[in-house]
PDB file of all heavy atoms in Angstrom:
ATOM      1  N   ALA E 159      58.642 -91.315  14.707  1.00 79.00           N
ATOM      2  CA  ALA E 159      57.422 -92.027  15.090  1.00 79.00           C
ATOM      3  C   ALA E 159      57.642 -93.544  15.089  1.00 79.00           C
ATOM      4  O   ALA E 159      57.146 -94.258  15.965  1.00 79.00           O
ATOM      5  CB  ALA E 159      56.290 -91.665  14.129  1.00 79.00           C
ATOM      6  N   THR E 160      58.416 -94.032  14.117  1.00 79.00           N
ATOM      7  CA  THR E 160      58.688 -95.470  14.033  1.00 79.00           C
ATOM      8  C   THR E 160      59.494 -95.951  15.239  1.00 79.00           C
ATOM      9  O   THR E 160      59.202 -96.996  15.832  1.00 79.00           O
ATOM     10  CB  THR E 160      59.453 -95.784  12.737  1.00 79.00           C
ATOM     11  OG1 THR E 160      58.689 -95.330  11.614  1.00 79.00           O
ATOM     12  CG2 THR E 160      59.697 -97.278  12.593  1.00 79.00           C
ATOM     13  N   VAL E 161      60.519 -95.167  15.599  1.00 76.00           N
ATOM     14  CA  VAL E 161      61.340 -95.530  16.754  1.00 76.00           C
ATOM     15  C   VAL E 161      60.496 -95.553  18.024  1.00 76.00           C
ATOM     16  O   VAL E 161      60.581 -96.496  18.833  1.00 76.00           O
ATOM     17  CB  VAL E 161      62.513 -94.531  16.902  1.00 76.00           C
ATOM     18  CG1 VAL E 161      63.232 -94.747  18.238  1.00 76.00           C
ATOM     19  CG2 VAL E 161      63.486 -94.692  15.753  1.00 76.00           C
ATOM     20  N   SER E 162      59.663 -94.536  18.214  1.00 76.00           N
ATOM     21  CA  SER E 162      58.822 -94.491  19.414  1.00 76.00           C
ATOM     22  C   SER E 162      57.824 -95.642  19.438  1.00 76.00           C
ATOM     23  O   SER E 162      57.497 -96.177  20.497  1.00 76.00           O
ATOM     24  CB  SER E 162      58.090 -93.146  19.494  1.00 76.00           C
ATOM     25  OG  SER E 162      57.208 -92.997  18.396  1.00 76.00           O
ATOM     26  N   PHE E 163      57.344 -96.055  18.239  1.00 79.00           N
ATOM     27  CA  PHE E 163      56.393 -97.171  18.173  1.00 79.00           C
ATOM     28  C   PHE E 163      57.048 -98.478  18.627  1.00 79.00           C
ATOM     29  O   PHE E 163      56.460 -99.258  19.378  1.00 79.00           O
ATOM     30  CB  PHE E 163      55.862 -97.312  16.755  1.00 79.00           C
ATOM     31  CG  PHE E 163      54.961 -98.491  16.559  1.00 79.00           C
ATOM     32  CD1 PHE E 163      53.630 -98.436  16.967  1.00 79.00           C
ATOM     33  CD2 PHE E 163      55.434 -99.664  15.991  1.00 79.00           C
ATOM     34  CE1 PHE E 163      52.790 -99.523  16.799  1.00 79.00           C
ATOM     35  CE2 PHE E 163      54.603-100.746  15.819  1.00 79.00           C
ATOM     36  CZ  PHE E 163      53.274-100.676  16.218  1.00 79.00           C
ATOM     37  N   PHE E 164      58.282 -98.734  18.166  1.00 75.00           N
ATOM     38  CA  PHE E 164      58.958 -99.972  18.541  1.00 75.00           C
ATOM     39  C   PHE E 164      59.387 -99.962  20.006  1.00 75.00           C
ATOM     40  O   PHE E 164      59.445-101.007  20.641  1.00 75.00           O
ATOM     41  CB  PHE E 164      60.174-100.202  17.638  1.00 75.00           C
ATOM     42  CG  PHE E 164      59.817-100.733  16.279  1.00 75.00           C
ATOM     43  CD1 PHE E 164      60.068 -99.988  15.144  1.00 75.00           C
ATOM     44  CD2 PHE E 164      59.213-101.969  16.136  1.00 75.00           C
ATOM     45  CE1 PHE E 164      59.736-100.475  13.895  1.00 75.00           C
ATOM     46  CE2 PHE E 164      58.869-102.474  14.891  1.00 75.00           C
ATOM     47  CZ  PHE E 164      59.136-101.721  13.758  1.00 75.00           C
ATOM     48  N   LEU E 165      59.705 -98.781  20.539  1.00 73.00           N
ATOM     49  CA  LEU E 165      60.083 -98.712  21.945  1.00 73.00           C
ATOM     50  C   LEU E 165      58.881 -98.906  22.854  1.00 73.00           C
ATOM     51  O   LEU E 165      58.946 -99.656  23.825  1.00 73.00           O
ATOM     52  CB  LEU E 165      60.757 -97.367  22.244  1.00 73.00           C
ATOM     53  CG  LEU E 165      62.159 -97.157  21.666  1.00 73.00           C
ATOM     54  CD1 LEU E 165      62.645 -95.755  21.954  1.00 73.00           C
ATOM     55  CD2 LEU E 165      63.127 -98.187  22.241  1.00 73.00           C
ATOM     56  N   SER E 166      57.788 -98.199  22.513  1.00 77.00           N
ATOM     57  CA  SER E 166      56.600 -98.294  23.360  1.00 77.00           C
ATOM     58  C   SER E 166      55.406 -97.742  22.596  1.00 77.00           C
ATOM     59  O   SER E 166      55.484 -96.660  22.003  1.00 77.00           O
ATOM     60  CB  SER E 166      56.805 -97.509  24.656  1.00 77.00           C
ATOM     61  OG  SER E 166      55.586 -97.346  25.347  1.00 77.00           O
ATOM     62  N   PHE E 167      54.297 -98.476  22.649  1.00 81.00           N
ATOM     63  CA  PHE E 167      53.091 -98.007  21.972  1.00 81.00           C
ATOM     64  C   PHE E 167      52.548 -96.741  22.644  1.00 81.00           C
ATOM     65  O   PHE E 167      51.999 -95.865  21.980  1.00 81.00           O
ATOM     66  CB  PHE E 167      52.022 -99.108  21.979  1.00 81.00           C
ATOM     67  CG  PHE E 167      50.779 -98.730  21.217  1.00 81.00           C
ATOM     68  CD1 PHE E 167      50.801 -98.631  19.838  1.00 81.00           C
ATOM     69  CD2 PHE E 167      49.598 -98.447  21.890  1.00 81.00           C
ATOM     70  CE1 PHE E 167      49.662 -98.273  19.137  1.00 81.00           C
ATOM     71  CE2 PHE E 167      48.458 -98.089  21.199  1.00 81.00           C
ATOM     72  CZ  PHE E 167      48.483 -98.013  19.818  1.00 81.00           C
ATOM     73  N   LYS E 168      52.739 -96.629  23.957  1.00 84.00           N
ATOM     74  CA  LYS E 168      52.308 -95.418  24.663  1.00 84.00           C
ATOM     75  C   LYS E 168      53.114 -94.205  24.189  1.00 84.00           C
ATOM     76  O   LYS E 168      52.566 -93.117  23.996  1.00 84.00           O
ATOM     77  CB  LYS E 168      52.476 -95.594  26.164  1.00 84.00           C
ATOM     78  CG  LYS E 168      51.482 -96.567  26.790  1.00 84.00           C
ATOM     79  CD  LYS E 168      51.680 -96.643  28.293  1.00 84.00           C
ATOM     80  CE  LYS E 168      50.674 -97.611  28.915  1.00 84.00           C
ATOM     81  NZ  LYS E 168      50.858 -97.700  30.393  1.00 84.00           N
ATOM     82  N   LEU E 169      54.423 -94.414  24.004  1.00 80.00           N
ATOM     83  CA  LEU E 169      55.261 -93.331  23.481  1.00 80.00           C
ATOM     84  C   LEU E 169      54.786 -92.898  22.088  1.00 80.00           C
ATOM     85  O   LEU E 169      54.749 -91.712  21.772  1.00 80.00           O
ATOM     86  CB  LEU E 169      56.721 -93.772  23.403  1.00 80.00           C
ATOM     87  CG  LEU E 169      57.528 -93.785  24.697  1.00 80.00           C
ATOM     88  CD1 LEU E 169      58.938 -94.287  24.427  1.00 80.00           C
ATOM     89  CD2 LEU E 169      57.568 -92.402  25.322  1.00 80.00           C
ATOM     90  N   PHE E 170      54.442 -93.871  21.264  1.00 82.00           N
ATOM     91  CA  PHE E 170      53.974 -93.567  19.912  1.00 82.00           C
ATOM     92  C   PHE E 170      52.682 -92.754  19.969  1.00 82.00           C
ATOM     93  O   PHE E 170      52.519 -91.785  19.210  1.00 82.00           O
ATOM     94  CB  PHE E 170      53.750 -94.866  19.141  1.00 82.00           C
ATOM     95  CG  PHE E 170      53.094 -94.654  17.805  1.00 82.00           C
ATOM     96  CD1 PHE E 170      53.807 -94.147  16.728  1.00 82.00           C
ATOM     97  CD2 PHE E 170      51.748 -94.970  17.613  1.00 82.00           C
ATOM     98  CE1 PHE E 170      53.199 -93.948  15.503  1.00 82.00           C
ATOM     99  CE2 PHE E 170      51.133 -94.773  16.404  1.00 82.00           C
ATOM    100  CZ  PHE E 170      51.862 -94.266  15.329  1.00 82.00           C
ATOM    101  N   CYS E 171      51.766 -93.145  20.839  1.00 85.00           N
ATOM    102  CA  CYS E 171      50.499 -92.407  20.961  1.00 85.00           C
ATOM    103  C   CYS E 171      50.739 -90.970  21.421  1.00 85.00           C
ATOM    104  O   CYS E 171      50.115 -90.031  20.915  1.00 85.00           O
ATOM    105  CB  CYS E 171      49.562 -93.125  21.933  1.00 85.00           C
ATOM    106  SG  CYS E 171      48.947 -94.713  21.316  1.00 85.00           S
ATOM    107  N   LEU E 172      51.659 -90.801  22.378  1.00 83.00           N
ATOM    108  CA  LEU E 172      51.994 -89.452  22.845  1.00 83.00           C
ATOM    109  C   LEU E 172      52.629 -88.631  21.721  1.00 83.00           C
ATOM    110  O   LEU E 172      52.308 -87.448  21.527  1.00 83.00           O
ATOM    111  CB  LEU E 172      52.952 -89.529  24.035  1.00 83.00           C
ATOM    112  CG  LEU E 172      52.339 -89.904  25.386  1.00 83.00           C
ATOM    113  CD1 LEU E 172      53.435 -90.127  26.425  1.00 83.00           C
ATOM    114  CD2 LEU E 172      51.392 -88.811  25.854  1.00 83.00           C
ATOM    115  N   PHE E 173      53.532 -89.249  20.976  1.00 79.00           N
ATOM    116  CA  PHE E 173      54.190 -88.560  19.856  1.00 79.00           C
ATOM    117  C   PHE E 173      53.155 -88.125  18.823  1.00 79.00           C
ATOM    118  O   PHE E 173      53.160 -86.978  18.352  1.00 79.00           O
ATOM    119  CB  PHE E 173      55.222 -89.493  19.217  1.00 79.00           C
ATOM    120  CG  PHE E 173      55.945 -88.889  18.049  1.00 79.00           C
ATOM    121  CD1 PHE E 173      57.039 -88.066  18.253  1.00 79.00           C
ATOM    122  CD2 PHE E 173      55.529 -89.149  16.748  1.00 79.00           C
ATOM    123  CE1 PHE E 173      57.707 -87.499  17.173  1.00 79.00           C
ATOM    124  CE2 PHE E 173      56.187 -88.590  15.678  1.00 79.00           C
ATOM    125  CZ  PHE E 173      57.281 -87.764  15.885  1.00 79.00           C
ATOM    126  N   PHE E 174      52.261 -89.032  18.482  1.00 81.00           N
ATOM    127  CA  PHE E 174      51.232 -88.716  17.492  1.00 81.00           C
ATOM    128  C   PHE E 174      50.304 -87.613  18.005  1.00 81.00           C
ATOM    129  O   PHE E 174      49.914 -86.720  17.247  1.00 81.00           O
ATOM    130  CB  PHE E 174      50.425 -89.983  17.176  1.00 81.00           C
ATOM    131  CG  PHE E 174      49.412 -89.792  16.090  1.00 81.00           C
ATOM    132  CD1 PHE E 174      49.800 -89.712  14.761  1.00 81.00           C
ATOM    133  CD2 PHE E 174      48.057 -89.682  16.389  1.00 81.00           C
ATOM    134  CE1 PHE E 174      48.873 -89.537  13.755  1.00 81.00           C
ATOM    135  CE2 PHE E 174      47.117 -89.495  15.396  1.00 81.00           C
ATOM    136  CZ  PHE E 174      47.526 -89.435  14.076  1.00 81.00           C
ATOM    137  N   PHE E 175      49.980 -87.656  19.280  1.00 85.00           N
ATOM    138  CA  PHE E 175      49.091 -86.650  19.868  1.00 85.00           C
ATOM    139  C   PHE E 175      49.706 -85.252  19.780  1.00 85.00           C
ATOM    140  O   PHE E 175      49.038 -84.280  19.431  1.00 85.00           O
ATOM    141  CB  PHE E 175      48.798 -87.005  21.333  1.00 85.00           C
ATOM    142  CG  PHE E 175      48.015 -85.951  22.061  1.00 85.00           C
ATOM    143  CD1 PHE E 175      46.649 -85.825  21.863  1.00 85.00           C
ATOM    144  CD2 PHE E 175      48.643 -85.089  22.949  1.00 85.00           C
ATOM    145  CE1 PHE E 175      45.912 -84.856  22.531  1.00 85.00           C
ATOM    146  CE2 PHE E 175      47.916 -84.112  23.629  1.00 85.00           C
ATOM    147  CZ  PHE E 175      46.550 -84.000  23.413  1.00 85.00           C
ATOM    148  N   PHE E 176      51.013 -85.151  20.088  1.00 82.00           N
ATOM    149  CA  PHE E 176      51.675 -83.843  20.053  1.00 82.00           C
ATOM    150  C   PHE E 176      51.984 -83.378  18.631  1.00 82.00           C
ATOM    151  O   PHE E 176      52.274 -82.195  18.422  1.00 82.00           O
ATOM    152  CB  PHE E 176      52.966 -83.886  20.873  1.00 82.00           C
ATOM    153  CG  PHE E 176      52.728 -83.791  22.348  1.00 82.00           C
ATOM    154  CD1 PHE E 176      52.847 -84.902  23.157  1.00 82.00           C
ATOM    155  CD2 PHE E 176      52.371 -82.583  22.932  1.00 82.00           C
ATOM    156  CE1 PHE E 176      52.624 -84.816  24.527  1.00 82.00           C
ATOM    157  CE2 PHE E 176      52.134 -82.490  24.290  1.00 82.00           C
ATOM    158  CZ  PHE E 176      52.257 -83.605  25.091  1.00 82.00           C
ATOM    159  N   MET E 177      51.928 -84.290  17.651  1.00 80.00           N
ATOM    160  CA  MET E 177      52.174 -83.896  16.262  1.00 80.00           C
ATOM    161  C   MET E 177      50.898 -83.445  15.560  1.00 80.00           C
ATOM    162  O   MET E 177      50.957 -82.838  14.487  1.00 80.00           O
ATOM    163  CB  MET E 177      52.790 -85.068  15.478  1.00 80.00           C
ATOM    164  CG  MET E 177      54.247 -85.346  15.805  1.00 80.00           C
ATOM    165  SD  MET E 177      55.319 -83.929  15.510  1.00 80.00           S
ATOM    166  CE  MET E 177      55.101 -83.700  13.752  1.00 80.00           C
ATOM    167  N   LEU E 178      49.741 -83.731  16.143  1.00 83.00           N
ATOM    168  CA  LEU E 178      48.477 -83.349  15.508  1.00 83.00           C
ATOM    169  C   LEU E 178      48.370 -81.849  15.221  1.00 83.00           C
ATOM    170  O   LEU E 178      47.922 -81.453  14.143  1.00 83.00           O
ATOM    171  CB  LEU E 178      47.296 -83.814  16.373  1.00 83.00           C
ATOM    172  CG  LEU E 178      46.958 -85.305  16.315  1.00 83.00           C
ATOM    173  CD1 LEU E 178      45.804 -85.611  17.265  1.00 83.00           C
ATOM    174  CD2 LEU E 178      46.574 -85.709  14.889  1.00 83.00           C
ATOM    175  N   PRO E 179      48.768 -80.969  16.155  1.00 85.00           N
ATOM    176  CA  PRO E 179      48.656 -79.536  15.863  1.00 85.00           C
ATOM    177  C   PRO E 179      49.484 -79.089  14.669  1.00 85.00           C
ATOM    178  O   PRO E 179      49.187 -78.059  14.066  1.00 85.00           O
ATOM    179  CB  PRO E 179      49.168 -78.874  17.156  1.00 85.00           C
ATOM    180  CG  PRO E 179      48.984 -79.896  18.214  1.00 85.00           C
ATOM    181  CD  PRO E 179      49.206 -81.213  17.533  1.00 85.00           C
ATOM    182  N   LEU E 180      50.535 -79.859  14.311  1.00 80.00           N
ATOM    183  CA  LEU E 180      51.377 -79.472  13.186  1.00 80.00           C
ATOM    184  C   LEU E 180      50.581 -79.400  11.891  1.00 80.00           C
ATOM    185  O   LEU E 180      50.802 -78.502  11.062  1.00 80.00           O
ATOM    186  CB  LEU E 180      52.543 -80.457  13.033  1.00 80.00           C
ATOM    187  CG  LEU E 180      53.476 -80.198  11.847  1.00 80.00           C
ATOM    188  CD1 LEU E 180      54.138 -78.832  11.967  1.00 80.00           C
ATOM    189  CD2 LEU E 180      54.526 -81.298  11.744  1.00 80.00           C
ATOM    190  N   GLY E 181      49.656 -80.342  11.689  1.00 79.00           N
ATOM    191  CA  GLY E 181      48.837 -80.337  10.471  1.00 79.00           C
ATOM    192  C   GLY E 181      48.016 -79.062  10.359  1.00 79.00           C
ATOM    193  O   GLY E 181      47.929 -78.455   9.287  1.00 79.00           O
ATOM    194  N   PHE E 182      47.433 -78.648  11.481  1.00 84.00           N
ATOM    195  CA  PHE E 182      46.641 -77.411  11.478  1.00 84.00           C
ATOM    196  C   PHE E 182      47.527 -76.191  11.208  1.00 84.00           C
ATOM    197  O   PHE E 182      47.158 -75.307  10.420  1.00 84.00           O
ATOM    198  CB  PHE E 182      45.940 -77.254  12.829  1.00 84.00           C
ATOM    199  CG  PHE E 182      45.216 -75.950  12.995  1.00 84.00           C
ATOM    200  CD1 PHE E 182      43.991 -75.735  12.375  1.00 84.00           C
ATOM    201  CD2 PHE E 182      45.776 -74.929  13.751  1.00 84.00           C
ATOM    202  CE1 PHE E 182      43.322 -74.528  12.517  1.00 84.00           C
ATOM    203  CE2 PHE E 182      45.117 -73.724  13.903  1.00 84.00           C
ATOM    204  CZ  PHE E 182      43.886 -73.524  13.275  1.00 84.00           C
TER     205      PHE E 182
END
Side-chain angles (χ1 to χ4, degrees):
T160 303
V161 170
S162 63
F163 176 79
F164 282 116
L165 289 176
S166 167
F167 184 70
K168 289 182 180 180
L169 282 178
F170 172 75
C171 291
L172 283 172
F173 179 83
F174 185 75
F175 174 77
F176 282 105
M177 286 302 298
L178 284 178
L180 178 61
F182 174 77

